[in-house]
Amino acid sequence: MVTVPPIAPGILKVVAEKTDFYQRVARGLWNQLNKETREHHITCVELFYRLHCLAPTANICEDIICHALLDPDKGTRLEALFRFSVIWHLTREIQGSRVTSHNRSFDRSLFVVLDSLTCTDGAIGAAAQGWLVRALSLGDVARILEPVLLLLLQPKTQRTSIQCLKQENSAEDLHRWFNRKKASLREVYGVPGPQDGSLEEGTPLSQFTTVDREAMWAEEDLPYCVDLLDRTACGATDSSEHTESADTSSAHTDSENTSSFSSPSHDPQELSNEETCCAPIPTGSRVYAKRSALLAAFRAETYKPSAKLSLARVDSDKTQASESFSSDEEADLELQALTTSRLLKQQRERQEMIEALFKHILLYLQPYDSRRVLYAFSVLEAVLKTNPKEFIEAVSRTSMDTSSTAHLNLISNLLARHQEALVGQSFYGKLQTQSPNVCPHSLLIELLTYLCLSFLRSYYPCYLKVSHRDILGNRDVQVKSVEVLIRIMTQLVSVAKSAEGKNVEFICSLLQRCKVQEFILLSLSASMHTSQKRYGLATSERGRAPREDSLFEESLIHLGQDQIWSEHPLQIELLKLLQVLIVLEHHLGQVPEEAENQPDLSREWRRALDFQQAIGAMQYVQPHPLTSQGLLVSAVVRGLQPAYGYGMHPAWVSLVTHSLPYFGKSLGWTVTPFIVQICKNLDELVKQYESESVKLSRKNISPDYPLTLLEGLTTISHFCLLEQPNQNKKVNYFFFLTLFVTALESLTTWPFSGMVLRKEEAQKRPVDLLGATKGSSSTIRQKILDFLNPLTAHLGVQLTAAVAAVWGRKKVKRHSKMKIVPAASASQLTLVDLVCALSALQVDTVLQLVKEVVKRPPQLRGDEKLPLVDIPVLQFCYAFIQSRLPVTALQENFPSLLGVLKESVQLNLAPPGYFLLLSMLNDFVTRTPSLESKKDQKDLQEVTQKLLEAVGNIAGSSLEQTSWLSRNLEVKAQPQISLEESDAEEDLYDAAAAASTMVSASAPSVYSVQALSLLAEVLASLLDMVYRSDEKEKAIPLISRLLYYVFPYLRNHSAYNAPSFRAGAQLLSSLSGYAYTKRAWKKEVLELFLDPAFFQMDTSCVHWKSIIDHLLTHEKTMFKDLMNMQSSSLKLFSSFEQKAMLLKRQAFAVFSGELDQYHLYLPVIQGKKTSPPLPPAQPPASQTRECLR
């Protein structure tokens, strides 16, 4: 019996091609789905769906739905959404119960509705979201995700692990294998292999090809493949393995389950037809079916013992080393052995590092259409953006049970084949028998997470010829996959916050099974390695860059030849994801202890050891959280280095600042080097700004980049010190001292720091760093103050010590040689202004902090070159008092200043320290009126006395006793450094700093000249103001003690003592100007005047003129006594010479006075000098004439 169809095939063909029968019927049924004819909805939907399955193409019914959903009229679109929801709900049972999957789905219409979720029109978006929430609540998540998952699991995205390819194949073998694969494609099928424009340039983005599902399930076996497999060497698999190739034919990528990105049916003429879509099915299957056979043949043919590439490279290094060594054979051999072992070690370390970085990589076996994958991810992102809670709940409770959900049959099959390809098996090989409801990923949320991570980890291999557009497309897919993961994990954070045990366990299991944290960290590290490599190539000179051999992994992965910033979009998204994962781990809580019965001490010890192991490892260590992973810490430490691009720095700063509460024990490990790198970058900005030659390197730096660094510095510092009161006792203050040093050094080196801190200079410099407008200067000024102000209360001493340390580094390279206390440089004055601008630091607070630092100067850990900060902090204090404190402020803060002087003078400071204290005291006394309080005056006198005695001791450091037990002093026979001629004087303060713990009594004699000069400048006037008119007598013993160290220098007329002689004369000259001091020096000065060697001095010692003048003026009878003096008082010379020497001194006495001062004594002078007469040839005759002149 023959069954005859009611309508002949020829008539069916005519109806389909020559009439619009299907379109008319479909439109009629669609129109019946309005709200007025609800009683017909069930029947109409059944008929409409049956028509959809019987129509020549799937586009006929979908065109009508899509046109309505995309109609310009808002009312029509809302009505279409209602009708679509009717069709959707009424076809639930029909589609869900299918087993053979002969039926079609409304996938394109579904995609249009999902696109409407993010519609700018609120009404349409709300209607679409309403449908979605209802569909999810009714368990339709598998129906919704089916076409999306089919796009993500398309066979062209099959990939294999880099580990599989590495096990048995060298780089050359792989190259040969890929070439052979492409050649066989051209040979066997007469079609070209994957070419550069493999994504069909002509295919418009607004459409995807479609094909019936039955073609995907019912494809027959391919005899040619069986024949080919039989002919291939080394155990080609049985042809029966490929009978299931029909299960997941590659044509699924061209199936009806694909749809437009946004508007599939804007133009009905663009909608594709079925004929052009079904054609590639057999060809595609044959291509994939060949893979296992080709790989098997390739392995059988090429697998032979061969030297590793790394060993060959080491041999060549040894050869080069041996050729370049000298002719001494033994030395050559030793040096060669050392070099070889060093090269081998470096080679091994680099090999291990690259293996660890790239072990997670997957490689595509052919180009794929990245636009389809991007669209699938964009649909997922839209759903997660609008209804994250409902969607995550739905995918978390929906399993991949194919026995109850027909929609997942094809997906489960494709997923299993992808798993086979991952481990190196054929995508089209025979699947291992397994229970129909067993799937590698049991829940939909796990499947989505796995797919996102798979696309993130996947790259094209170098030996596969792909276009630049393919590379860029794959990068876009990686970025989009991370964006979807961010939304999934963000919603999981909300779930974890509910603190339900079941939820926590479920999320932990999800993260562990999918290895989310491990793959994210490895992907970030590999991307950073790529950026660093590109930076090295970009910065090295063309043709002179040292060639670095690529290791196997690097030579296998096609990372593109773009600029350093091409990796930035992916890295930025990965950092955002890491930020979410860190928060998620925090809410999931601590990992349960393995042995609860252990003693507390043992448990703590084990925990500490485990932490040390994790923080130092260069691979992911289970089960430690992200913040304890060495991979993350090392990435954070390197993140702000210029080699990884300035464009990444805001993202790194954001990650660290937002993750501060979650770092826990690794806070110090992570934050310390990060802050140091911020400060280095600030310094680098300054150098780039000041150097014309590196302006080009600033082109990729945004104008607000300094603000980003300052904000990061502020947030991190404030968190570590101010927001963790329970941890303040554990704070490493040495670290924060170092932090302040590096930060202050950067901020005061700022090219416009003067403008930032001194507003009056702002008008002089209209443009600041990086060409930003001058309005940003006030912003930066505020950022600097925001950083420092809150910290001064807790860390005032560290801040002051840091100011001192930076002060020492900012000293003037060439200051005036006549200055005993060096003048402050411009950058040092900027530091003073910075401290003055801090509202939390009042003047008395600053002085108190200075006193504390001088008493206990902290040393910077690990910086042996940095001296103690006691001298620099006094230099800062002196500049602060001298240049920034008005007279009223000085008077008000006298007790604080007195405290600084009192405490400091008792310490064993280096000589410059006492010079600074004396200068501070002198500045105070000179600028302020007399103190009214007698107690204050007495305290001032005591401090003055102690300071002057300390400086006097330094002045006497070039003296020694004439003999044992003798109190008489004489000058050491050693060269002395003069202020005018010293080239090395610039380093004296450095020497002082290095020896700042030295007791003043043993201070180096290089300071004696400076001490004498300083006393000469300040002593007389200081004592005159400190001791009132009725207290002058109290100063005489002090002056006598000081002059005890001065007169030995004045008695020595040797050339080496000239600097001290000049300084001592200057001191005596200034002191002798005050009559009340004559008791302390009259006798000694007269002795010096009558000393035979008195006139053995250079012309610069004009101070003796005033000294003698003061001697003769203060004593009324002294001049007459000198004139009447007998030559016999000069007993050292013969009587013949004594007369001449006396005459010379009497002449100098007259010369020292003012004009006509001694005219009343003229007769006495003339009478003395003319009798008795002497022969002109005798020496006294010339002295007489000189005296008379």
Side-chain angles (χ1 to χ4, degrees):
M1 187 175 71
V2 179
T3 303
V4 180
I7 303 177
I11 297 172
L12 267 180
K13 187 176 180 183
V14 171
V15 170
E17 294 178 358
K18 305 296 184 182
T19 70
D20 58 354
F21 167 76
Y22 293 101
Q23 287 85 345
R24 282 176 177 270
V25 175
R27 194 171 290 110
L29 292 171
W30 172 255
N31 290 333
Q32 288 297 313
L33 293 176
N34 55 37
K35 294 176 183 177
E36 288 75 25
T37 57
R38 291 178 186 272
E39 65 274 10
H40 304 310
H41 282 184
I42 296 176
T43 309
C44 287
V45 168
E46 288 179 359
L47 291 172
F48 191 79
Y49 185 66
R50 198 168 297 174
L51 179 69
H52 179 53
C53 294
L54 294 173
T57 71
N59 294 330
I60 290 176
C61 291
E62 289 226 68
D63 279 356
I64 294 169
I65 303 175
C66 291
H67 274 300
L69 288 170
L70 295 168
D71 195 278
D73 179 61
K74 182 177 176 179
T76 307
R77 293 178 71 178
L78 289 171
E79 177 68 21
L81 279 170
F82 167 75
R83 295 182 184 184
F84 173 81
S85 67
V86 171
I87 294 175
W88 178 267
H89 292 303
L90 292 180
T91 55
R92 181 176 293 109
E93 296 300 325
I94 304 171
Q95 287 189 298
S97 63
R98 72 180 190 268
V99 178
T100 54
S101 194
H102 283 277
N103 300 324
R104 293 169 175 165
S105 291
F106 296 102
D107 298 325
R108 290 173 54 227
S109 310
L110 172 63
F111 281 141
V112 175
V113 174
L114 292 175
D115 287 339
S116 302
L117 289 171
T118 53
C119 181
T120 53
D121 190 310
I124 293 171
Q129 289 179 44
W131 163 82
L132 177 64
V133 171
R134 182 63 180 151
L136 291 175
S137 68
L138 293 172
D140 284 344
V141 68
R143 279 178 76 191
I144 295 170
L145 285 182
E146 183 196 24
V148 176
L149 294 174
L150 288 175
L151 285 178
L152 296 176
L153 289 168
Q154 52 183 294
K156 280 193 176 182
T157 62
Q158 62 178 285
R159 41 181 91 79
T160 190
S161 166
I162 195 171
Q163 300 297 326
C164 292
L165 292 178
K166 189 181 176 184
Q167 281 172 3
E168 300 179 13
N169 307 314
S170 68
E172 291 84 356
D173 296 334
L174 281 166
H175 192 43
R176 199 179 306 126
W177 177 66
F178 275 106
N179 284 338
R180 180 181 300 178
K181 181 174 179 181
K182 287 187 283 186
S184 63
L185 285 173
R186 291 191 292 270
E187 239 174 67
V188 176
Y189 302 111
V191 293
Q195 296 292 325
D196 279 5
S198 58
L199 295 182
E200 298 107 7
E201 295 287 346
T203 306
L205 282 177
S206 61
Q207 73 177 45
F208 282 131
T209 52
T210 56
V211 71
D212 289 336
R213 279 188 173 85
E214 59 261 26
M216 302 174 67
W217 289 100
E219 185 181 352
E220 294 295 325
D221 187 21
L222 306 173
Y224 183 82
C225 285
V226 178
D227 189 33
L228 173 66
L229 294 175
D230 289 339
R231 291 202 308 268
T232 51
C234 190
T237 54
D238 189 89
S239 62
S240 62
E241 290 181 4
H242 297 274
T243 57
E244 288 196 18
S245 65
D247 288 354
T248 56
S249 115
S250 67
H252 127 263
T253 59
D254 302 323
S255 76
E256 70 183 48
N257 297 291
T258 59
S259 162
S260 74
F261 281 107
S262 56
S263 50
S265 42
H266 279 298
D267 184 355
Q269 300 303 319
E270 288 184 356
L271 299 171
S272 61
N273 55 50
E274 188 173 5
E275 287 74 28
T276 59
C277 315
C278 296
I281 296 171
T283 305
S285 300
R286 292 189 183 106
V287 173
Y288 293 120
K290 279 177 67 266
R291 183 187 183 282
S292 65
L294 286 172
L295 192 55
F298 156 69
R299 285 178 176 166
E301 199 174 292
T302 61
Y303 182 63
K304 56 174 78 80
S306 60
K308 292 284 184 185
L309 295 176
S310 58
L311 292 179
R313 197 159 54 251
V314 172
D315 288 339
S316 67
D317 289 337
K318 283 163 61 180
T319 308
Q320 292 172 5
S322 64
E323 289 173 356
S324 62
F325 289 146
S326 63
S327 57
D328 185 359
E329 290 184 6
E330 288 187 7
D332 281 356
L333 288 173
E334 287 184 18
L335 201 54
Q336 187 173 349
L338 282 171
T339 306
T340 305
S341 64
R342 181 170 51 83
L343 288 173
L344 280 168
K345 184 181 178 184
Q346 291 175 353
Q347 192 77 29
R348 191 167 58 252
E349 288 175 352
R350 183 163 178 262
Q351 175 74 39
E352 289 172 357
M353 183 194 77
I354 297 298
E355 282 180 359
L357 278 182
F358 290 97
K359 68 179 182 181
H360 67 294
I361 296 293
L362 308 177
L363 296 173
Y364 291 114
L365 297 175
Q366 61 186 321
Y368 70 99
D369 191 343
S370 60
R371 295 170 300 178
R372 296 184 173 191
V373 177
L374 280 173
Y375 178 70
F377 277 134
S378 68
V379 169
L380 283 173
E381 191 177 26
V383 175
L384 283 162
K385 184 178 180 181
T386 54
N387 300 91
K389 184 174 181 289
E390 295 82 2
F391 181 74
I392 292 299
E393 285 178 358
V395 294
S396 298
R397 62 172 177 255
T398 306
S399 67
M400 291 286 294
D401 185 2
T402 54
S403 62
S404 61
T405 313
H407 301 282
L408 298 175
N409 285 335
L410 185 54
I411 291 168
S412 179
N413 194 287
L414 283 169
L415 184 58
R417 296 190 177 278
H418 275 285
Q419 298 282 341
E420 292 285 312
L422 272 182
V423 295
Q425 302 300 317
S426 169
F427 188 84
Y428 289 99
K430 182 177 180 179
L431 289 177
Q432 295 180 2
T433 57
Q434 58 182 7
S435 173
N437 60 351
V438 173
C439 179
H441 301 282
S442 56
L443 292 172
L444 281 181
I445 188 171
E446 195 173 334
L447 175 59
L448 291 175
T449 306
Y450 164 76
L451 288 175
C452 289
L453 290 171
S454 296
F455 280 103
L456 168 64
R457 298 159 55 201
S458 300
Y459 290 84
Y460 285 115
C462 278
Y463 305 110
L464 185 64
K465 190 175 182 184
V466 289
S467 66
H468 185 59
R469 195 176 76 176
D470 291 330
I471 300 294
L472 295 180
N474 189 53
R475 275 203 203 121
D476 292 339
V477 167
Q478 290 176 320
V479 172
K480 185 61 77 174
S481 68
V482 180
E483 290 174 357
V484 172
L485 266 178
I486 290 172
R487 294 195 178 273
I488 293 175
M489 295 302 154
T490 304
Q491 185 56 35
L492 287 180
V493 170
S494 303
V495 175
K497 282 181 182 177
S498 64
E500 294 179 16
K502 187 178 177 183
N503 289 341
V504 170
E505 188 179 342
F506 158 70
I507 297 172
C508 287
S509 172
L510 169 69
L511 296 177
Q512 190 174 356
R513 281 166 63 88
C514 294
K515 299 183 179 180
V516 178
Q517 298 100 315
E518 179 177 358
F519 288 149
I520 297 303
L521 278 181
L522 287 172
S523 298
L524 177 64
S525 300
S527 182
M528 290 177 70
H529 176 77
T530 305
S531 293
Q532 184 188 29
K533 214 170 176 190
R534 287 180 183 150
Y535 178 82
L537 293 172
T539 52
S540 59
E541 294 182 36
R542 183 181 294 274
R544 295 182 61 186
R547 185 181 177 278
E548 193 179 52
D549 295 325
S550 291
L551 296 177
F552 179 82
E553 287 84 352
E554 293 178 297
S555 62
L556 190 57
I557 303 167
H558 198 320
L559 296 167
Q561 302 295 323
D562 299 306
Q563 299 297 321
I564 178 177
W565 44 261
S566 61
E567 292 289 326
H568 288 179
L570 177 60
Q571 290 177 23
I572 289 172
E573 294 305 319
L574 286 171
L575 292 184
K576 290 178 186 175
L577 178 54
L578 277 173
Q579 192 173 312
V580 176
L581 287 172
I582 288 171
V583 177
L584 178 59
E585 284 186 339
H586 174 74
H587 288 297
L588 292 177
Q590 299 297 322
V591 180
E593 293 291 338
E594 294 177 6
E596 291 294 340
N597 56 355
Q598 285 185 348
D600 290 343
L601 188 61
S602 173
R603 205 158 48 218
E604 283 295 326
W605 180 253
R606 169 55 51 193
R607 205 179 285 145
L609 283 179
D610 289 346
F611 173 76
Q612 289 290 340
Q613 177 193 2
I615 205 78
M618 283 314 295
Q619 55 188 358
Y620 189 80
V621 182
Q622 289 278 9
H624 294 277
L626 279 170
T627 50
S628 298
Q629 297 291 339
L631 272 176
L632 178 64
V633 173
S634 68
V636 169
V637 169
R638 292 176 290 126
L640 289 187
Q641 294 175 6
Y644 302 101
Y646 286 100
M648 280 302 301
H649 294 184
W652 278 110
V653 170
S654 175
L655 170 71
V656 174
T657 53
H658 284 88
S659 304
L660 285 172
Y662 314 111
F663 275 124
K665 286 188 290 187
S666 59
L667 180 66
W669 290 82
T670 314
V671 161
T672 308
F674 192 76
I675 283 182
V676 171
Q677 190 62 48
I678 286 180
C679 298
K680 283 182 182 177
N681 288 5
L682 287 169
D683 282 343
E684 189 62 30
L685 276 181
V686 173
K687 292 173 186 171
Q688 290 186 9
Y689 179 83
E690 292 173 344
S691 173
E692 295 293 326
S693 60
V694 292
K695 276 190 174 178
L696 290 176
S697 62
R698 300 207 311 267
K699 62 185 178 182
N700 292 327
I701 304 177
S702 62
D704 64 343
Y705 178 65
L707 292 178
T708 301
L709 296 182
L710 282 173
E711 287 168 358
L713 191 65
T714 302
T715 306
I716 295 170
S717 306
H718 290 185
F719 175 84
C720 294
L721 293 170
L722 307 179
E723 297 178 25
Q724 291 188 302
N726 57 334
Q727 293 190 13
N728 269 349
K729 295 177 182 176
K730 303 177 184 177
V731 167
N732 182 353
Y733 284 102
F734 287 108
F735 158 62
F736 286 104
L737 175 56
T738 310
L739 155 65
F740 283 141
V741 168
T742 47
L744 289 173
E745 187 163 21
S746 305
L747 300 178
T748 52
T749 313
W750 215 253
F752 51 96
S753 55
M755 176 189 67
V756 169
L757 299 163
R758 294 194 292 278
K759 292 181 178 178
E760 65 271 14
E761 291 187 19
Q763 307 306 319
K764 300 178 185 176
R765 194 162 187 166
V767 178
D768 65 357
L769 189 65
L770 306 176
T773 58
K774 65 183 179 182
S776 66
S777 63
S778 60
T779 309
I780 292 186
R781 179 180 188 272
Q782 192 55 49
K783 292 293 180 189
I784 294 172
L785 298 181
D786 289 346
F787 163 57
L788 293 174
N789 259 323
L791 297 176
T792 51
H794 296 272
L795 290 169
V797 172
Q798 279 69 30
L799 176 62
T800 310
V803 168
V806 175
W807 185 279
R809 297 177 181 181
K810 303 287 183 185
K811 64 178 183 293
V812 184
K813 296 297 181 187
R814 285 293 210 189
H815 56 71
S816 169
K817 302 301 178 188
M818 299 301 292
K819 290 270 188 184
I820 295 130
V821 177
S825 66
S827 55
Q828 286 174 332
L829 289 176
T830 300
L831 205 53
V832 175
D833 290 328
L834 178 61
V835 174
C836 291
L838 293 173
S839 59
L841 285 183
Q842 303 301 323
V843 176
D844 61 329
T845 312
V846 173
L847 294 174
Q848 292 291 342
L849 292 172
V850 168
K851 182 174 72 174
E852 290 299 318
V853 172
V854 175
K855 281 172 67 177
R856 286 182 291 274
Q859 177 80 35
L860 263 72
R861 181 177 294 179
D863 193 350
E864 293 79 9
K865 294 181 181 178
L866 191 69
L868 292 177
V869 292
D870 49 358
I871 305 302
V873 80
L874 288 174
Q875 290 174 338
F876 159 77
C877 187
Y878 177 54
F880 175 71
I881 292 170
Q882 187 185 40
S883 60
R884 297 293 180 263
L885 283 191
V887 174
T888 52
L890 265 179
Q891 284 180 297
E892 291 169 2
N893 295 282
F894 170 71
S896 300
L897 177 61
L898 192 67
V900 172
L901 298 175
K902 260 187 179 179
E903 292 283 351
S904 304
V905 76
Q906 298 172 15
L907 304 172
N908 290 327
L909 295 176
Y914 294 106
F915 299 163
L916 287 160
L917 292 172
L918 185 57
S919 300
M920 276 189 265
L921 176 66
N922 184 62
D923 181 74
F924 171 78
V925 170
T926 306
R927 289 204 288 147
T928 56
S930 297
L931 297 168
E932 296 178 1
S933 167
K934 287 188 176 181
K935 182 182 181 302
D936 290 347
Q937 188 71 25
K938 186 179 179 183
D939 290 341
L940 183 64
Q941 289 172 1
E942 286 180 6
V943 169
T944 304
Q945 186 173 336
K946 288 180 181 177
L947 267 176
L948 289 174
E949 286 179 348
V951 176
N953 288 333
I954 298 168
S957 60
S958 289
L959 303 175
E960 60 185 356
Q961 291 176 322
T962 53
S963 61
W964 193 54
L965 293 179
S966 170
R967 289 194 75 250
N968 295 329
L969 300 175
E970 64 181 8
V971 182
K972 295 175 185 176
Q974 63 184 19
Q976 296 173 1
I977 298 174
S978 121
L979 291 180
E980 295 86 355
E981 65 191 15
S982 164
D983 289 333
E985 196 263 339
E986 166 183 342
D987 302 320
L988 288 181
Y989 279 80
D990 295 340
S996 60
T997 55
M998 193 175 293
V999 182
S1000 58
S1002 60
S1005 58
V1006 291
Y1007 292 108
S1008 61
V1009 179
Q1010 294 186 42
L1012 287 170
S1013 301
L1014 182 62
L1015 287 172
E1017 285 181 18
V1018 305
L1019 178 63
S1021 58
L1022 179 65
L1023 290 176
D1024 185 53
M1025 286 181 283
V1026 169
Y1027 292 93
R1028 296 171 181 172
S1029 56
D1030 58 339
E1031 299 174 320
K1032 299 294 184 188
E1033 290 299 315
K1034 294 180 182 178
I1036 301 301
L1038 173 62
I1039 296 171
S1040 299
R1041 288 196 296 274
L1042 292 175
L1043 292 179
Y1044 171 71
Y1045 295 111
V1046 176
F1047 287 126
Y1049 292 111
L1050 297 176
R1051 294 189 186 103
N1052 189 314
H1053 293 264
S1054 304
Y1056 63 79
N1057 187 51
S1060 295
F1061 187 90
R1062 282 194 294 270
Q1066 183 185 357
L1067 167 60
L1068 197 55
S1069 171
S1070 63
L1071 201 60
S1072 62
Y1074 294 88
Y1076 75 91
T1077 64
K1078 64 182 178 182
R1079 268 176 46 203
W1081 53 266
K1082 181 177 71 172
K1083 179 186 173 188
E1084 286 80 2
V1085 167
L1086 188 59
E1087 289 177 0
L1088 289 169
F1089 186 49
L1090 298 177
D1091 183 39
F1094 175 75
F1095 288 108
Q1096 294 178 16
M1097 65 180 84
D1098 59 21
T1099 56
S1100 63
C1101 295
V1102 294
H1103 302 293
W1104 275 103
K1105 182 174 178 288
S1106 60
I1107 293 170
I1108 300 303
D1109 180 42
H1110 293 151
L1111 175 68
L1112 300 178
T1113 304
H1114 295 324
E1115 288 286 328
K1116 294 182 179 179
T1117 62
M1118 181 61 72
F1119 184 75
K1120 185 183 284 189
D1121 293 344
L1122 183 64
M1123 291 297 109
N1124 294 328
M1125 187 178 288
Q1126 298 300 317
S1127 60
S1128 59
S1129 60
L1130 302 175
K1131 299 182 178 179
L1132 295 177
F1133 292 86
S1134 62
S1135 59
F1136 180 72
E1137 294 177 339
Q1138 285 175 0
K1139 178 70 175 175
M1141 299 303 290
L1142 179 61
L1143 282 172
K1144 193 170 184 180
R1145 278 152 185 75
Q1146 291 169 337
F1148 188 79
V1150 176
F1151 171 69
S1152 299
E1154 296 177 3
L1155 187 65
D1156 294 336
Q1157 182 178 350
Y1158 300 110
H1159 70 280
L1160 297 175
Y1161 296 94
L1162 189 59
V1164 178
I1165 297 171
Q1166 287 177 331
K1168 280 288 181 185
K1169 305 313 169 200
T1170 53
S1171 67
L1174 292 169
Q1178 299 301 328
S1182 62
Q1183 309 298 341
T1184 303
R1185 285 194 297 274
E1186 181 181 321
C1187 181
L1188 288 173
R1189 187 169 67 249

